Amino acid sequence: MADEFMKGFGLFSVAALVWMISASWYRTPSFESTRQLVAAPPEEPGTVFDTLGIFLGDLMFWTALLGAFTFWVIIPATRQAREALVVDE
């Protein structure tokens, strides 16, 4: 179980770091505002790299959430269910 926790934690940490970097570049209109990291991205990104950065930020947000949920909840639950369903001979 510790192995799954560390895999989920590592995935969550790396994906959340990439999301924070992307959000600070594209979703922070000003450092004095109260909507840092959660403001809407610019409507006209400008370049292909801006578009990729915004997409990567959104992708890493969902990777952090779903990856951690997978390793912390789904995999241990399926292992417990499989152990409960196996009949000892």
Side-chain angles (χ1 to χ4, degrees):
M1 292 298 224
D3 188 36
E4 281 83 18
F5 176 78
M6 286 311 297
K7 287 178 186 175
F9 184 71
L11 184 63
F12 179 78
S13 299
V14 170
L17 177 64
V18 173
W19 172 76
M20 282 192 287
I21 291 169
S22 175
S24 68
W25 284 338
Y26 298 111
R27 295 181 183 265
T28 301
S30 124
F31 289 108
E32 288 82 26
S33 73
T34 58
R35 298 197 38 90
Q36 292 183 5
L37 303 179
V38 294
E43 293 180 13
E44 294 293 326
T47 66
V48 174
F49 294 113
D50 292 338
T51 305
L52 286 174
I54 294 168
F55 174 73
L56 182 67
D58 291 341
L59 181 68
M60 288 297 113
F61 176 79
W62 289 108
T63 300
L65 293 180
L66 295 176
F69 183 74
T70 300
F71 281 105
W72 293 344
V73 176
I74 294 176
I75 292 175
T78 55
R79 286 187 179 173
Q80 294 251 337
R82 185 175 47 201
E83 287 176 7
L85 293 175
V86 172
V87 178
D88 293 329
E89 294 181 22

